[in-house]
Amino acid sequence: MAYGYKGTERDQCWLLPPSMRDWLPKGHLAWFVMDTLSVMDLERLYRRYPVGGAGNSAYDPGMMLAVLTYSYCLGVTSSRKIEALCMTDVAYRVLTASLFPDHTSICRFRKSNNDLLKHLFAETLRLASEAGMLRAGTVALDGTKMAANASLAANRTREGIEKEMARYREIADRLFADADRVDAEEDARFGADKSGNEVPEHLADPVKRLETLRECKRRLDAAEAERRGEQQAKIDRRAEEERETGKKKRGRKPKSPDEAAAECAEAKVNTTDPDSGIMKTRQGHLQGYNAQAVVTMDQIIVAADVTDEANDRHQLVPMLLAAQANVTAADETQKINNALADAGYCSLKNLTAPELADIELFIATSNEKKASREDRHKPAPRGRIPKSATPVDRMTKKMRTKRGRSFYRQRGMAVEPVFGQVKDGRGIDRFRRRGRDACRGEWNLISACHNLLKLWRWRCSGLFDSLRNRMKPTMKRVDRVGSAPASTRTGQLFTLARSAG
């Protein structure tokens, strides 16, 4: 039976300074993020922030990277929310050592280190390999639609862009005329050698807006020219086939280049983020990107990229080649043998790509949801495949075999949960930055944090903490001068993990 309450003396001063090690439990994610980054090779990061010189001292780059990584692991991507958490959240106070970086510094760090995020993703693969979690024999490929930092309402056609350009050109001309008039009056009043000849600040927005519209119009012109070229090439190929065979081809004749170009009149480009595109989803249309990922059967992302194409058909070859390169860089003994993909990646070009000769493909040739129940439950085909069968027919027959169905069944259990963990579990369903290169770097950061969370769950077994204490005397801390190679440190740590496990 309780005799009272525990004392709550908020005005009591600390007799001894508290230790931050007592603020969080040992198995907390924040400690794992710091431990993981401490064994990564961050020398290139520190080179960008030299010690000494004029100006105020910068925040420790390693600390800023830890804060950004931890935030994305939790699904917090807003720099202003991160700034607020650095003041109120205990884990962030530990990460920053009670420093309070503002949202401008956080946003600037994320923007200026875009290429480092790809290096961070590669380092997580190296850690996964050292931990024995990278098994790349069979991988699955898929894409998900991520909203851009732009609105659908910001899309404009060529006619709309030309009207808006004329309006902003008129505004800019009028403002410049007003500025010239004011300058002339001030020169007459104060003298020509006085200041006042600069363009007013309020002129910057219309001029910048006009430059953006010009860039959007240039993109539409380039798309129209490309469409003309493709149509003319199609006509030339048809004419060449007719000359070779001596017969006219049946079917509807292709449209002329002018008719094909006329179809581009309704094409739109987004004036906020011209690199983004209109993506169709189950909930409707959104302005965004198509984020691609190649994952292992253990849900480790081995390749990540972003494209503005809503269709996945052109992404199979580059994504699998990037995945093989990343796997080889992390572990030379690993090799991708099988690749699983849905019907969105099925095309004659992909099925016959010579670059993928060493990888066996299991690609659905039709949408399973649209297929009839009888087709889905038909018995496996028997007999030899006819010589006249096309690559698509051969893939269709292979996917109906027991082996093909067994392999393809693993696709949904590998790649689909990854997108669910990112978008629903962590709440990251849109990019914070604009431009394809910037969004590609952010997608690498999101993927790297996903891999770190997988490693953290492995660490939660308690094995990692005991190994860290055993390795602490020999591990070298990353500082501003440099450190030992990351492969050496991670090798020491995770080799003991495998032997102890």
Side-chain angles (χ1 to χ4, degrees), residues 45-201:
L45 175 62
Y46 284 95
R47 287 177 181 174
R48 297 181 179 180
Y49 300 89
V51 180
N56 295 329
S57 300
Y59 289 106
D60 189 327
M63 180 271 288
M64 296 292 287
L65 182 60
V67 170
L68 197 61
T69 304
Y70 178 74
S71 299
Y72 271 78
C73 285
L74 299 183
V76 181
T77 59
S78 170
S79 56
R80 285 178 169 82
K81 290 183 179 180
I82 296 175
E83 176 188 0
L85 289 171
C86 288
M87 301 182 65
T88 60
D89 191 274
V90 173
Y92 281 87
R93 293 289 293 270
V94 173
L95 287 168
T96 62
S98 293
L99 297 176
F100 307 111
D102 58 281
H103 66 272
T104 304
S105 300
I106 297 171
C107 186
R108 188 185 301 115
F109 179 85
R110 177 170 52 186
K111 180 179 179 181
S112 60
N113 294 282
N114 192 60
D115 58 335
L116 180 69
L117 303 180
K118 185 175 182 180
H119 173 70
L120 177 65
F121 173 69
E123 286 291 309
T124 61
L125 291 182
R126 193 191 307 276
L127 291 175
S129 175
E130 295 291 346
M133 295 182 62
L134 183 62
R135 294 179 293 179
T138 301
V139 298
L141 169 63
D142 204 356
T144 184
K145 305 302 189 295
M146 296 281 289
N149 191 2
S151 171
L152 276 172
N155 285 288
R156 299 289 187 273
T157 61
R158 180 194 304 276
E159 182 181 359
I161 289 177
E162 291 176 351
K163 289 182 179 179
E164 196 165 350
M165 285 177 63
R167 184 165 63 89
Y168 276 97
R169 193 181 295 114
E170 181 182 353
I171 293 174
D173 292 342
R174 186 173 66 252
L175 291 177
F176 275 115
D178 292 342
D180 293 339
R181 179 179 55 80
V182 172
D183 289 343
E185 292 178 356
E186 290 180 349
D187 289 345
R189 183 183 305 174
F190 304 108
D193 57 339
K194 301 296 182 179
S195 61
N197 296 325
E198 298 83 8
V199 178
E201 293 184 0

Side-chain angles (χ1 to χ4, degrees), residues 158 223-232 234-235 252-267:
R158 180 194 304 276
E224 179 180 343
E226 183 179 359
R227 177 62 174 159
R228 284 178 180 272
E230 292 176 354
Q231 195 65 18
Q232 186 61 48
K234 185 176 181 180
I235 295 174
R252 183 179 299 176
K253 293 183 179 181
K255 299 178 181 180
S256 65
D258 293 337
E259 291 175 340
E263 297 177 352
C264 298
E266 298 301 321

